[in-house]
Amino acid sequence: EVQLVESGGGLVQPGRSLRLSCAASGFTFNSYAMSWVRQAPGRGLEWVSTIGASGGITYYADSVKGRFTISRDNSQNTLYLQMNSLRAEDTAVYFCAKAFRGWAPFDYWGQGTLVTVSS
Amino acid sequence: EIVLTQSPATLSLSPGERATLSCRASQSVSSSYLAWYQQKPGQAPRLLIYGASSRATGIPDRFSGSGSGTDFTLTISRLEPEDFAVYYCQQCGYSPFTFGPGTTVDIK
């Protein structure tokens, strides 16, 4: 059974940093691209970032480019999102998601972890 | 960036009725790269349709997708109580892998 479990969310002040993790199991992690998608309270889905299976290729939404870094540790079956210079508008539930094929769509999702950016 | 527009924003229907949801892209999207998701409150999204018309594993055949170019449609042939939810389209061909704003299907 495929499982994706996010962790690392919480309350953080504007301008500070946070690192999210996503522990994957039940599939060959190093064979699939992985992504982060966020959802602000009461809002729709926003794609954030995608990383290729080997970690060599990454993509970012303009809204996070230069502030967020996606990475993965294929030996630990874990996906990461390093978030720096956080802003109030980054407040959201962050989901990790597995690519069905290629870069997208996403066939498995974690339960999400809430990041709240507030002073 | 490919911008996706979904209509209507809200669709109010009764169980047993047919639902037709639209997703329009700002530029042509290969049919191979258009997906639909369902999301219920407090839950992660669930992949329904990929490649514009292929059902994901375990998705009932009352869900169908169609379309090409810039116009795509998700049809739910007969609404079941569990189908009342928010539906998003996504283009998967080019970064940024944008989502539409969603269509809420609620009970009339």
Side-chain angles (χ1 to χ4, degrees):
Chain A
E1 177 193 6
V2 172
Q3 284 199 319
L4 298 171
V5 180
E6 302 96 336
S7 60
L11 175 63
V12 61
Q13 293 179 327
R16 304 298 291 266
S17 298
L18 207 60
R19 187 175 84 155
L20 305 183
S21 300
C22 172
S25 61
F27 64 102
T28 306
F29 183 71
N30 61 12
S31 294
Y32 293 92
M34 297 292 295
S35 296
W36 290 97
V37 175
R38 69 185 180 183
Q39 187 167 37
R43 306 294 295 274
L45 301 173
E46 180 186 13
W47 171 78
V48 173
S49 182
T50 293
I51 186 167
S54 65
I57 297 175
T58 57
Y59 297 108
Y60 296 95
D62 285 348
S63 58
V64 306
K65 200 173 294 182
R67 300 187 300 122
F68 289 12
T69 302
I70 191 172
S71 62
R72 63 192 297 162
D73 183 342
N74 285 345
S75 69
Q76 298 293 320
N77 291 352
T78 303
L79 175 72
Y80 300 102
L81 185 68
Q82 177 67 42
M83 304 185 294
N84 298 334
S85 302
L86 282 162
R87 306 166 180 167
E89 54 265 36
D90 295 319
T91 294
V93 173
Y94 285 74
F95 297 99
C96 70
K98 169 189 168 291
F100 171 63
R101 62 184 185 188
W103 301 110
F106 312 135
D107 57 349
Y108 288 95
W109 298 63
Q111 83 289 350
T113 187
L114 176 62
V115 173
T116 303
V117 183
S118 175
S119 54
Chain B
E1 172 178 333
I2 297 176
V3 176
L4 300 179
T5 304
Q6 292 186 241
S7 61
T10 303
L11 196 51
S12 297
L13 296 168
S14 300
E17 289 193 294
R18 181 184 188 89
T20 303
L21 288 67
S22 173
C23 175
R24 180 163 289 177
S26 60
Q27 56 189 279
S28 185
V29 174
S30 167
S31 296
S32 298
Y33 299 124
L34 195 288
W36 290 91
Y37 299 86
Q38 175 193 68
Q39 187 181 33
K40 297 178 182 179
Q43 296 185 16
R46 174 194 183 194
L47 178 64
L48 296 176
I49 300 287
Y50 64 92
S53 60
S54 298
R55 278 186 298 277
T57 302
I59 302 303
D61 60 8
R62 63 179 181 274
F63 290 93
S64 63
S66 64
S68 64
T70 60
D71 290 296
F72 298 88
T73 301
L74 174 69
T75 301
I76 310 170
S77 58
R78 288 178 56 85
L79 282 164
E80 297 289 339
E82 62 267 27
D83 299 337
F84 292 94
V86 182
Y87 294 84
Y88 296 94
C89 57
Q90 182 196 23
Q91 70 82 18
C92 314
Y94 302 97
S95 175
F97 304 114
T98 47
F99 290 91
T103 290
T104 299
V105 179
D106 64 16
I107 300 176
K108 186 174 183 181

